[in-house]
């Protein structure tokens, strides 16, 4: 896979350094949302499970997590659950808006259902926390119809929420969302502003077909955000045989 790596490596290193302090208390300053005890479904019986926490990439405020199950026995082979929550507003005790959050994304309570959130999954060979520099091996679009969920966490942060609950059953993909894998080539092209800051990433994708991703321990995940009001490419959906552009908003590592 081809990638534009040198500049992206340094940019991501800076991002990871900035995000390091977020790990300790994501709910305090970055919105949070949802409970650690949330049941994200998935399946029953003996399983080998991987999970990941999505760490917001500044200045994004939000949170998310993912679960990946290899089931043993029965017709259901693999399950992927993931959810992403982007903070929209800080509310006071009466429900009044105190602050509007994530203004760089242009998302609000009126347009959140038009946005698209996508997972990029792949080997994290360089340990930078994402799969970008190596190129993603799978791409999953969460809730392709847009988010219809708003939630308020105990800290008074109003979130828009996207989720995917996908399973592979008898070689068929069932559930919400969609995943693509088996790409021939993925070229990663960071987009920079006049100051050299990465503003978005373009993916040139060749080949690919709908398929459940094969996720391994220590694989990296990047969460990308697209919306019709952002000055990005016309095709927001990152699938097989497309050129798409997203704003990186979160990242994580899949662990046992």
């Amino acid at each position: 896979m081809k990638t534009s790596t040198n500049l992206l490596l340094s940019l991501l290193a800076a991002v990871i350094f900035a995000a390091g302090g977020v790990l300790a208390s994501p709910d305090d300053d970055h919105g949070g949302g949802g409970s650690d005890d949330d049941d994200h479904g998935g399946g029953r019986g003996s399983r080998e499970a991987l999970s990941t926490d999505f760490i917001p990439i500044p200045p994004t405020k939000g949170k998310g997590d993912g679960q990946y199950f290899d089931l043993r026995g029965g017709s259901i082979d693999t399950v992927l659950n993931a959810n992403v929550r982007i903070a929209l507003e800080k509310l006071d005790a009466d429900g009044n808006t105190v602050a509007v959050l994530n203004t760089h994304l242009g998302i609000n309570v009126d347009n959140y259902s038009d946005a698209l959130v996508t997972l990029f999954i792949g080997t994290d060979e360089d340990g930078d926390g994402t799969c970008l520099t190596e190129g993603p091996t799978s791409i999953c679009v969460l809730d392709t119809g847009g988010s219809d969920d708003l939630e308020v966490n105990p800290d008074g942060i109003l979130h828009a929420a996207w989720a995917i609950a996908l399973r592979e059953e008898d070689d068929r993909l069932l559930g919400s969302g969609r995943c693509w894998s088996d790409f021939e080539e993925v070229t990663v092209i960071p987009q920079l502003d006049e100051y050299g800051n990465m503003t978005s990433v373009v993916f040139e994708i060749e080949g690919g077909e709908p398929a459940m991703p094969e996720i391994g321990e220590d694989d990296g995940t990047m969460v990308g955000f697209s919306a019709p009001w952002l000055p990005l490419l016309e095709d927001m959906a990152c699938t097989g045989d497309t050129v798409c552009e997203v704003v990186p908003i979160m990242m994580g590592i899949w662990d046992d």
Side-chain angles (χ1 to χ4, degrees), residues 20 39 55 57 163 175:
D39 180 6
I55 305 166
I57 299 173

Side-chain angles (χ1 to χ4, degrees), residues 153-251:
N153 72 2
D155 296 323
I157 305 295
L158 175 68
H159 287 82
W162 290 260
I164 185 173
L166 190 67
R167 69 184 186 275
E168 186 176 35
E169 185 172 339
D170 292 330
D171 296 324
R172 297 179 301 154
L173 295 183
L174 302 174
S176 66
R178 196 67 175 234
C179 291
W180 286 261
S181 297
D182 299 324
F183 305 122
E184 296 175 14
E185 191 170 53
V186 179
T187 303
V188 181
I189 309 171
Q191 305 299 294
L192 310 175
D193 63 17
E194 59 182 317
Y195 304 106
N197 301 310
M198 182 171 63
T199 57
S200 62
V201 178
V202 170
F203 294 91
E204 295 181 354
I205 303 164
E206 297 180 20
E209 59 184 30
M212 180 67 77
E214 294 184 7
I215 303 175
E217 187 175 4
D218 298 327
D219 276 357
T221 293
M222 188 206 78
V223 182
F225 176 86
S226 298
W229 58 85
L230 294 176
L232 303 179
L233 299 177
E234 292 183 6
D235 190 352
M236 297 195 314
C238 288
T239 64
D241 280 322
T242 58
V243 176
C244 59
E245 186 174 3
V246 300
V247 177
I249 58 173
M250 298 180 193
M251 60 187 180

Side-chain angles (χ1 to χ4, degrees), residues 9-143:
L9 275 170
S10 59
L11 289 168
L12 284 174
V15 164
I16 294 163
F17 177 80
V22 175
L23 264 172
S25 55
D27 285 338
D28 293 342
D29 300 318
H30 294 270
S35 167
D36 290 339
D37 297 325
D38 287 346
D39 180 6
H40 301 294
R44 298 180 181 275
S46 177
R47 69 191 185 195
E48 296 177 3
L50 296 174
S51 63
T52 181
D53 290 323
F54 301 142
I55 305 166
I57 299 173
T60 300
K61 302 178 187 296
K63 193 177 181 182
D65 58 78
Q67 297 175 319
Y68 180 81
F69 307 103
D70 266 341
L71 298 182
R72 294 290 179 260
S75 60
I76 300 177
D77 301 317
T78 311
V79 174
L80 173 66
N81 295 321
N83 73 94
V84 172
R85 301 177 292 280
I86 298 178
L88 302 183
E89 297 179 355
K90 170 68 175 177
L91 307 178
D92 63 17
D94 297 322
N96 300 311
T97 301
V98 175
V100 177
L101 306 174
N102 284 318
T103 55
H104 67 294
L105 299 178
I107 188 171
N108 57 50
V109 294
D110 297 318
N111 64 18
Y112 70 92
S113 62
D114 295 324
L116 199 63
V117 176
T118 307
L119 301 182
F120 300 84
I121 302 163
T123 304
D124 179 27
E125 294 178 356
D126 56 14
D128 66 3
T130 77
C131 56
L132 280 183
T133 52
E134 298 84 3
T137 55
S138 296
I139 294 173
C140 298
V141 179
L142 279 69
D143 191 359

